[in-house]
Amino acid sequence: MFGSIKDQIKSMKKRDPAARSTLEIILCYPGLHALFFHRISHFLWNIKLFLIARFISHLSRFLTGIEIHPAAEIGKRFFIDHGMGVVIGETAKVGDDVFIYHGVTLGSTSTKKEKRHPTISDGVIIGAGAKLLGPILVGKNAKIGSNAVVISDVPPEVTMVGIPAKKLIK
C-alpha cells in the first residue's frame, strides 16, 4: 500500500508544475486525500461493510469537496487537480494515469441497478466542468474539453468539445 502511495505522489509531482515538494502534496492536495479515503472505503465496500464504506466516503466529501462512491473502481496514478465538485458514481471505472480537473461529473442517466456510469480508459484527460453521463466508454488517451457534455462513446486518441460533445477537427 505504501508503495502505491509513493507512486501516486511521485506521479502528481511529475504532472503538476505547481507542486513544489512531496510534503506540499501530502498536506495540501485534496485529490490525494480523496483518493486515500476512497481506497479505504472501496476495500470496506468489497468486504460488504457498506455503511462504514459510505460513511467514510461521506466524510471524504465533507473534507475534500470530492465525492467518489465506494464501489467506483479507480486505477493507479489517478490525479484529481483542484478537485472541488468532482463526482464519480457507483458503477464508474477509471483506468490508470487518468487526469481530471475540478467540477467533473462521471454520472448516470438511469436509476436501474446496472452499469450506468462511464468507463474511462488509461491516459484520459478530462477538463474542468466536463460531464460524462451514462454507461459510455472513453477510449485510451482521449481528451475531454472543459464543460463538454459527453453522452456517447469516445474513440481513443481524440479530443471532444462542446455540448453535446463532438470530435475536435484539427
Side-chain angles (χ1 to χ4, degrees), residues 4-163:
S4 85
I5 293 170
K6 273 179 75 173
D7 191 33
Q8 181 70 40
I9 293 167
K10 183 178 172 183
S11 172
M12 290 174 140
K13 196 170 184 181
K14 179 180 174 185
R15 292 195 275 176
D16 186 357
R20 287 168 184 62
S21 72
T22 299
L23 187 59
E24 177 184 29
I25 292 169
I26 291 169
L27 296 176
C28 303
Y29 277 54
L32 179 65
H33 305 151
L35 192 56
F36 179 73
F37 280 115
H38 174 71
R39 300 288 187 215
I40 294 166
S41 68
H42 186 69
F43 171 78
L44 294 169
W45 186 268
N46 285 336
I47 62 170
K48 312 276 189 247
L49 295 174
F50 302 122
L51 181 59
I52 298 168
R54 287 298 301 262
F55 182 74
I56 290 171
S57 173
H58 178 72
L59 182 64
S60 176
R61 181 181 63 173
F62 176 77
L63 294 171
T64 67
I66 298 167
E67 182 175 346
I68 307 173
H69 191 283
E73 296 177 27
I74 307 292
K76 297 174 187 167
R77 297 173 302 279
F78 177 54
F79 188 5
I80 302 171
D81 199 7
H82 302 289
M84 186 61 74
V86 167
V87 177
I88 300 175
E90 179 182 19
T91 63
K93 292 184 180 184
V94 179
D96 296 339
D97 302 303
V98 171
F99 191 121
I100 68 174
Y101 289 92
H102 56 281
V104 167
T105 298
L106 303 181
S108 174
T109 56
S110 170
T111 58
K112 295 178 183 171
K113 290 197 177 270
E114 60 189 13
K115 171 70 171 147
R116 59 190 190 280
H117 297 90
T119 297
I120 311 299
S121 300
D122 297 346
V124 171
I125 299 171
I126 305 174
K131 309 301 177 214
L132 290 78
L133 304 173
I136 61 174
L137 173 63
V138 177
K140 189 174 184 177
N141 298 319
K143 294 179 179 146
I144 309 298
S146 294
N147 295 314
V149 176
V150 183
I151 55 175
S152 58
D153 290 352
V154 176
E157 309 282 338
V158 303
T159 300
M160 302 290 283
V161 296
I163 304 172

